[in-house]
């Protein structure tokens, strides 16, 4: 079920999968990115009516499909700038106790991602992001 660009705020889907699918930045490019990936993901989740894959760059692709309340998000954009933009986009929509996982938080090559996310947390007086043994960061939201 694809939504048109001018669709209203999401009311029917509880899992939204945002990805560039075809043309991610070089740093995020994986071997299976390409013209077939979006259709493959749609086919993978076709039995699950609550899942909506959305093609495009985050956070721009969220406009028109986003949820008003977010309980869980995973941010993996391989870019400090875009990881932070995505976090700032979801932040006002997070429910009490919501979880945000940052995929690249603890890796040395993404040091600027960690530093910039920590600045956002400090500026907004939020709970700290916990670095996990996997290199991911875990943020638990409390209002």
């Amino acid at each position: 079920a694809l939504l048109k660009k001018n669709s209203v705020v999401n009311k029917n889907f509880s899992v939204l999968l945002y990805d560039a699918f075809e043309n991610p930045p070089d740093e995020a490019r994986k071997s299976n990115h390409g013209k077939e990936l979006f259709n493959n993901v749609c086919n993978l989740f076709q039995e699950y009516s609550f899942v909506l894959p959305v093609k495009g760059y985050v956070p721009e692709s969220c406009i028109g499909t986003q949820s008003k309340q977010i309980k869980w998000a995973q941010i993996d954009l391989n870019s400090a700038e875009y990881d932070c933009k995505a976090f700032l986009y979801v932040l006002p929509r997070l429910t009490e106790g919501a979880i945000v996982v940052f995929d690249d938080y603890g890796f040395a090559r993404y040091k600027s991602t960690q530093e910039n996310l920590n600045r956002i947390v400090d500026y907004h007086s939020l709970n700290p992001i916990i670095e996990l043994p996997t290199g991911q960061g875990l943020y638990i939201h409390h209002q």
Side-chain angles (χ1 to χ4, degrees):
L2 300 177
L3 293 182
K4 302 210 182 312
K5 189 171 185 170
N6 295 327
S7 297
V8 297
V9 172
N10 167 54
K11 293 180 182 169
N12 301 314
F13 301 96
S14 57
V15 176
L16 296 150
L17 307 173
Y18 295 98
D19 196 293
F21 290 102
E22 290 182 24
N23 298 307
D26 288 338
E27 176 63 27
R29 191 173 302 279
K30 305 289 188 252
S31 62
N32 60 351
H33 278 101
K35 294 181 180 180
E36 309 83 33
L37 182 58
F38 181 70
N39 287 334
N40 291 344
V41 170
C42 288
N43 289 336
L44 181 66
F45 290 102
Q46 69 183 352
E47 295 179 35
Y48 305 97
S49 61
F50 56 90
V51 176
L52 175 68
V54 180
K55 187 190 311 187
Y57 293 101
V58 172
E60 295 83 8
S61 63
C62 299
I63 297 168
T65 60
Q66 77 277 0
S67 296
K68 290 182 180 179
Q69 294 186 322
I70 297 172
K71 296 177 184 176
W72 179 83
Q74 180 166 343
I75 299 175
D76 181 12
L77 300 173
N78 301 89
S79 160
E81 177 185 359
Y82 289 101
D83 281 359
C84 290
K85 282 183 179 182
F87 185 45
L88 288 170
Y89 185 82
V90 302
L91 192 57
R93 295 166 175 81
L94 295 175
T95 61
E96 180 68 23
I99 293 175
V100 179
V101 176
F102 299 97
D103 195 59
D104 305 315
Y105 184 81
F107 295 101
R109 70 181 183 177
Y110 296 113
K111 185 77 172 159
S112 63
T113 298
Q114 184 182 82
E115 292 170 348
N116 286 298
L117 287 170
N118 287 345
R119 282 189 200 105
I120 292 170
V121 164
D122 290 344
Y123 179 80
H124 293 282
S125 300
L126 302 172
N127 285 334
I129 298 171
I130 302 164
E131 186 175 336
L132 302 175
T134 59
Q136 296 172 308
L138 175 67
Y139 168 74
I140 301 171
H141 187 67
H142 291 288
Q143 299 169 336

